[in-house]
Each structure stands twice: as structure tokens, then as C-alpha cells.
Amino acid sequence: MSTDNRTGPPSFGSEREMLRAFLDYHRATLAMKCEGLTDEELRQRSMPPSTLSLLGLVRHMAEVERAWFRRVFEDNDAPMVWSDKIDFQAAYDASGSTRQEAFTAWEAEVADSRRIERESESLDRVGHQPRWREEVSLRMVMVHVLLEYGRHNGHADLLREGVDGTVGA
């Protein structure tokens, strides 16, 4: 990893500004954990039998972004990125993937998520989560995705250390 170029979340702001800033901070953290690594290093798995890798995490988070923003607020039937059915585990197998493929998909999903959030009048906007068959608010979606990034960035810390010994933010 090179220098830490992430923009830290503000100490004060509205609920929406805080959620948006923390989400972007965690998105930047995942990208930072992958900096400077080759495709082969990004595909390096944690330990058998797990298929978990840094590139797999990027692919998984593309699925998460799509499932929680696009599928909830725009197109309940939008296909998943890496599987024909709702299979979040499929994204973890990055054995045939490249940085360009994974990051292009993830960045496109993040851009869609940001657009959907910014176009929403309120955190109370209601969408339909097709997997749960229930209504959810934009607020709930943003908190859920933020928690997903927090959990998986912890995995990314360990994966990066396993690849080249790099630790830290």
C-alpha cells in the first residue's frame, strides 16, 4: 500500500452526510488494501478450503452494492454480477478474475449506488428488498452496506498481511 489518500469522515454533519462519508471511507479502504498488488497476489486465498481473497472481496462488494441499491430501488430483477442466481458466494471465487475485471464492475456498482442515494429525496425513501420480500428504507440500506464494508475490510486487513506482510490502515 502506498500512502493513505482516504478522506476521513467528518466529526460533525447530518445523518445523511455521515452515512455517505463513512460509506465512501470504507469503499476507499477496500481499494487501498488492494493497492500495489499483482492480479496473482490479489487472487491469493486465505487458507484452504476458503476461496476468500482480496479480489474475491472486491467482487463480493460489487454484488452487495448491486443487491442493496440497484435491486432494491431501481430493478428488483436486475441480475447479479457474478452469478445467474442469487449466490453471493460465487463472487468469492476469483480464480479466473483480474483486477481490471473486478474493479471495473465494483466501481460501476459504487457509482450506481452513489447516484441512487444522491437522487433520493430522503433517507426514508422506501425500496423493496426482493430476497426478503419486504420494504426497506434507504437509511437501513446504507447502514447495512456500511456494516458489510466494515466486516469485510477486517478480512482485507488479514488477507493483505498474508500476501506481503503489510499491516495498518
Side-chain angles (χ1 to χ4, degrees):
M1 292 182 310
S2 59
T3 59
D4 185 348
N5 293 321
R6 297 172 300 166
T7 300
S11 298
F12 298 94
S14 70
E15 177 185 16
R16 192 168 191 166
E17 291 167 337
M18 296 296 257
L19 287 170
R20 183 184 292 156
F22 270 95
L23 256 176
D24 282 341
Y25 182 77
H26 276 281
R27 288 167 174 150
T29 299
L30 180 58
M32 185 181 76
K33 288 293 177 180
C34 297
E35 280 181 7
L37 297 177
T38 66
D39 284 1
E40 183 178 331
E41 290 170 323
L42 288 169
R43 286 189 296 264
Q44 187 174 316
R45 294 178 176 186
S46 59
M47 68 174 79
S50 176
T51 60
L52 189 62
S53 68
L54 285 165
L55 207 53
L57 286 176
V58 172
R59 289 166 48 104
H60 174 71
M61 292 312 297
E63 295 285 34
V64 167
E65 295 272 0
R66 179 174 288 191
W68 283 99
F69 284 95
R70 188 167 155 200
R71 286 178 50 89
V72 167
F73 295 108
E74 288 189 340
D75 181 359
N76 294 155
D77 297 319
M80 297 302 283
V81 182
W82 309 109
S83 70
D84 295 333
K85 55 186 185 204
I86 307 302
D87 179 7
F88 286 89
Q89 296 303 309
Y92 286 124
D93 183 4
S95 57
S97 187
T98 64
R99 170 193 296 274
Q100 182 175 350
E101 174 195 45
F103 272 85
T104 297
W106 176 63
E107 290 165 356
E109 295 305 323
V110 167
D112 275 346
S113 297
R114 286 180 177 140
R115 177 188 51 76
I116 289 165
E117 183 271 320
R118 282 184 177 15
E119 289 175 357
S120 298
E121 289 186 28
S122 159
L123 291 176
D124 294 323
R125 178 181 177 183
V126 174
H128 179 76
Q129 175 45 274
R131 285 187 0 233
W132 295 356
R133 295 184 192 95
E134 70 180 58
E135 306 301 300
V136 296
S137 70
L138 177 59
R139 176 183 293 101
M140 181 274 170
V141 166
M142 291 181 76
V143 169
H144 181 87
V145 174
L146 180 59
L147 292 172
E148 284 270 344
Y149 273 103
R151 184 173 81 226
H152 292 309
N153 280 340
H155 297 138
D157 285 338
L158 294 170
L159 287 163
R160 181 61 190 252
E161 184 177 5
V163 170
D164 67 358
T166 299
V167 295

